[in-house]
Amino acid sequence: MQPGVKPGRMYKNVTLLFADICGFTAYSNQNGARKVVEMLSKLFTSFDKECLRLNLYKVYTIGDCYVVMGFMDDNNRKSPQEEAYDVTLLGISMINMINKVRDQLRIDLNMRIGIHTGNIIGGIIGTDIVRFDIYGADVVVAN
Protein backbone atom coordinates (compact mmCIF):
# COMPACT_ATOMS: atom_id res chain seq x y z
CA MET A 1 0.00 0.00 0.00
CA GLN A 2 1.24 3.46 -0.84
CA PRO A 3 2.22 5.90 1.92
CA GLY A 4 -0.60 8.26 2.80
CA VAL A 5 -3.37 5.92 1.61
CA LYS A 6 -5.37 5.05 4.71
CA PRO A 7 -7.35 1.78 4.89
CA GLY A 8 -11.09 1.44 5.45
CA ARG A 9 -12.16 4.98 4.73
CA MET A 10 -13.99 7.05 2.16
CA TYR A 11 -12.05 8.76 -0.60
CA LYS A 12 -13.95 11.53 -2.41
CA ASN A 13 -13.71 12.60 -6.04
CA VAL A 14 -11.50 9.68 -7.04
CA THR A 15 -11.12 8.94 -10.72
CA LEU A 16 -11.03 5.22 -11.44
CA LEU A 17 -10.06 3.38 -14.59
CA PHE A 18 -11.02 -0.21 -15.37
CA ALA A 19 -9.47 -1.68 -18.51
CA ASP A 20 -9.76 -5.12 -19.96
CA ILE A 21 -8.72 -6.73 -23.20
CA CYS A 22 -11.40 -7.41 -25.79
CA GLY A 23 -10.65 -10.73 -27.45
CA PHE A 24 -8.62 -12.00 -24.49
CA THR A 25 -10.64 -15.20 -23.97
CA ALA A 26 -10.29 -16.20 -27.63
CA TYR A 27 -6.57 -15.31 -27.56
CA SER A 28 -6.07 -17.37 -24.40
CA ASN A 29 -7.88 -20.36 -25.90
CA GLN A 30 -5.73 -20.26 -29.04
CA ASN A 31 -2.35 -19.80 -27.34
CA GLY A 32 -0.39 -21.54 -24.63
CA ALA A 33 -0.23 -20.18 -21.10
CA ARG A 34 3.39 -19.02 -21.52
CA LYS A 35 2.51 -16.93 -24.58
CA VAL A 36 -0.49 -15.41 -22.80
CA VAL A 37 1.57 -14.50 -19.71
CA GLU A 38 4.36 -13.04 -21.86
CA MET A 39 1.87 -10.85 -23.74
CA LEU A 40 0.19 -9.67 -20.51
CA SER A 41 3.56 -9.02 -18.88
CA LYS A 42 4.73 -6.91 -21.82
CA LEU A 43 1.50 -4.96 -21.93
CA PHE A 44 1.05 -4.49 -18.17
CA THR A 45 4.70 -3.48 -17.71
CA SER A 46 4.07 -0.68 -20.21
CA PHE A 47 0.91 0.29 -18.31
CA ASP A 48 2.81 0.26 -14.99
CA LYS A 49 5.49 2.61 -16.37
CA GLU A 50 2.83 5.01 -17.59
CA CYS A 51 1.08 4.90 -14.19
CA LEU A 52 4.33 5.85 -12.48
CA ARG A 53 4.99 8.64 -14.99
CA LEU A 54 1.51 10.08 -14.38
CA ASN A 55 1.65 9.48 -10.59
CA LEU A 56 -1.35 7.12 -10.66
CA TYR A 57 -1.92 4.10 -8.41
CA LYS A 58 -2.44 0.65 -9.90
CA VAL A 59 -4.92 -0.92 -7.50
CA TYR A 60 -4.63 -4.43 -8.95
CA THR A 61 -4.79 -6.69 -11.97
CA ILE A 62 -7.00 -9.74 -12.26
CA GLY A 63 -6.40 -11.75 -15.41
CA ASP A 64 -6.66 -9.22 -18.22
CA CYS A 65 -8.35 -6.55 -16.05
CA TYR A 66 -6.20 -3.59 -14.99
CA VAL A 67 -7.55 -1.20 -12.32
CA VAL A 68 -6.17 2.27 -11.52
CA MET A 69 -7.13 5.16 -9.26
CA GLY A 70 -6.13 8.76 -9.84
CA PHE A 71 -3.70 9.28 -6.98
CA MET A 72 -0.95 7.50 -5.09
CA ASP A 73 -0.76 9.56 -1.92
CA ASP A 74 -3.84 10.95 -0.15
CA ASN A 75 -1.66 13.62 1.49
CA ASN A 76 -0.38 14.91 -1.84
CA ARG A 77 -3.35 14.89 -4.22
CA LYS A 78 -3.92 17.00 -7.29
CA SER A 79 -7.28 18.57 -8.03
CA PRO A 80 -10.03 16.14 -9.12
CA GLN A 81 -9.87 17.67 -12.61
CA GLU A 82 -6.11 17.06 -12.88
CA GLU A 83 -6.49 13.50 -11.63
CA ALA A 84 -9.28 12.83 -14.14
CA TYR A 85 -7.15 14.31 -16.92
CA ASP A 86 -4.16 12.11 -16.00
CA VAL A 87 -6.34 8.98 -15.83
CA THR A 88 -7.76 9.84 -19.26
CA LEU A 89 -4.22 10.24 -20.60
CA LEU A 90 -3.45 6.78 -19.24
CA GLY A 91 -6.50 5.35 -21.03
CA ILE A 92 -5.39 6.88 -24.34
CA SER A 93 -1.87 5.55 -23.80
CA MET A 94 -3.27 2.07 -23.05
CA ILE A 95 -5.10 2.07 -26.38
CA ASN A 96 -1.92 3.10 -28.19
CA MET A 97 0.10 0.44 -26.35
CA ILE A 98 -2.29 -2.39 -27.17
CA ASN A 99 -2.35 -1.26 -30.80
CA LYS A 100 1.45 -1.64 -30.87
CA VAL A 101 1.27 -5.10 -29.29
CA ARG A 102 -1.51 -6.10 -31.70
CA ASP A 103 0.59 -4.99 -34.69
CA GLN A 104 3.80 -6.62 -33.39
CA LEU A 105 2.16 -9.96 -32.57
CA ARG A 106 -0.41 -9.84 -35.40
CA ILE A 107 -3.27 -10.61 -33.03
CA ASP A 108 -6.83 -9.30 -32.73
CA LEU A 109 -6.92 -7.50 -29.36
CA ASN A 110 -8.43 -4.19 -28.28
CA MET A 111 -9.00 -2.41 -24.96
CA ARG A 112 -12.32 -1.71 -23.26
CA ILE A 113 -11.82 1.14 -20.80
CA GLY A 114 -14.21 2.62 -18.26
CA ILE A 115 -13.40 5.84 -16.42
CA HIS A 116 -15.53 7.40 -13.69
CA THR A 117 -15.03 9.93 -10.89
CA GLY A 118 -16.84 9.44 -7.61
CA ASN A 119 -16.55 8.37 -3.99
CA ILE A 120 -15.10 5.03 -2.95
CA ILE A 121 -14.34 3.09 0.19
CA GLY A 122 -10.76 1.85 0.26
CA GLY A 123 -9.50 -0.79 2.60
CA ILE A 124 -6.86 -3.38 3.32
CA ILE A 125 -7.96 -6.93 2.64
CA GLY A 126 -6.14 -9.90 4.17
CA THR A 127 -3.65 -10.42 6.96
CA ASP A 128 -0.53 -12.16 5.62
CA ILE A 129 -0.94 -11.36 1.94
CA VAL A 130 -2.56 -7.96 2.02
CA ARG A 131 -4.10 -5.95 -0.75
CA PHE A 132 -5.67 -2.51 -0.93
CA ASP A 133 -9.13 -2.88 -2.48
CA ILE A 134 -11.89 -0.47 -3.44
CA TYR A 135 -15.66 -0.70 -3.05
CA GLY A 136 -18.80 1.30 -3.70
CA ALA A 137 -21.37 2.20 -6.32
CA ASP A 138 -18.90 4.42 -8.20
CA VAL A 139 -16.51 1.47 -8.52
CA VAL A 140 -19.30 -0.46 -10.25
CA VAL A 141 -19.95 2.47 -12.61
CA ALA A 142 -16.27 2.68 -13.59
CA ASN A 143 -16.16 -1.06 -14.20
Side-chain angles (χ1 to χ4, degrees):
M1 186 162 134
Q2 296 296 322
V5 178
K6 299 175 181 90
R9 66 169 279 239
M10 176 168 291
Y11 298 91
K12 294 185 177 188
N13 296 314
V14 177
T15 299
L16 302 174
L17 176 146
F18 278 75
D20 66 1
I21 301 171
C22 302
F24 181 75
T25 301
Y27 177 79
S28 297
N29 289 336
Q30 296 168 1
N31 294 279
R34 181 180 307 275
K35 192 170 182 178
V36 171
V37 170
E38 287 172 355
M39 182 275 295
L40 283 176
S41 178
K42 180 176 186 174
L43 194 60
F44 286 1
T45 297
S46 299
F47 294 173
D48 288 350
K49 288 177 183 176
E50 190 68 0
C51 277
L52 289 174
R53 187 183 77 76
L54 293 168
N55 201 33
L56 304 173
Y57 179 63
K58 177 175 80 174
V59 180
Y60 53 78
T61 60
I62 298 177
D64 68 316
C65 182
Y66 193 95
V67 181
V68 172
M69 61 188 225
F71 68 94
M72 291 181 79
D73 183 348
D74 193 34
N75 296 317
N76 191 22
R77 289 187 65 181
K78 300 178 213 169
S79 72
Q81 295 84 358
E82 291 172 304
E83 289 177 3
Y85 180 80
D86 288 345
V87 170
T88 303
L89 287 178
L90 174 66
I92 293 167
S93 293
M94 291 170 123
I95 292 168
N96 292 331
M97 288 177 215
I98 200 161
N99 286 340
K100 275 187 193 175
V101 169
R102 182 180 61 219
D103 293 344
Q104 289 170 353
L105 301 178
R106 294 186 173 96
I107 54 179
D108 185 26
L109 297 176
N110 287 296
M111 294 298 301
R112 177 176 35 242
I113 299 172
I115 298 174
H116 180 69
T117 301
N119 301 326
I120 64 169
I121 300 293
I124 299 294
I125 306 302
T127 55
D128 294 329
I129 301 173
V130 297
R131 175 174 112 169
F132 182 79
D133 208 350
I134 54 177
Y135 300 90
D138 289 313
V139 175
V140 175
V141 172
N143 191 11

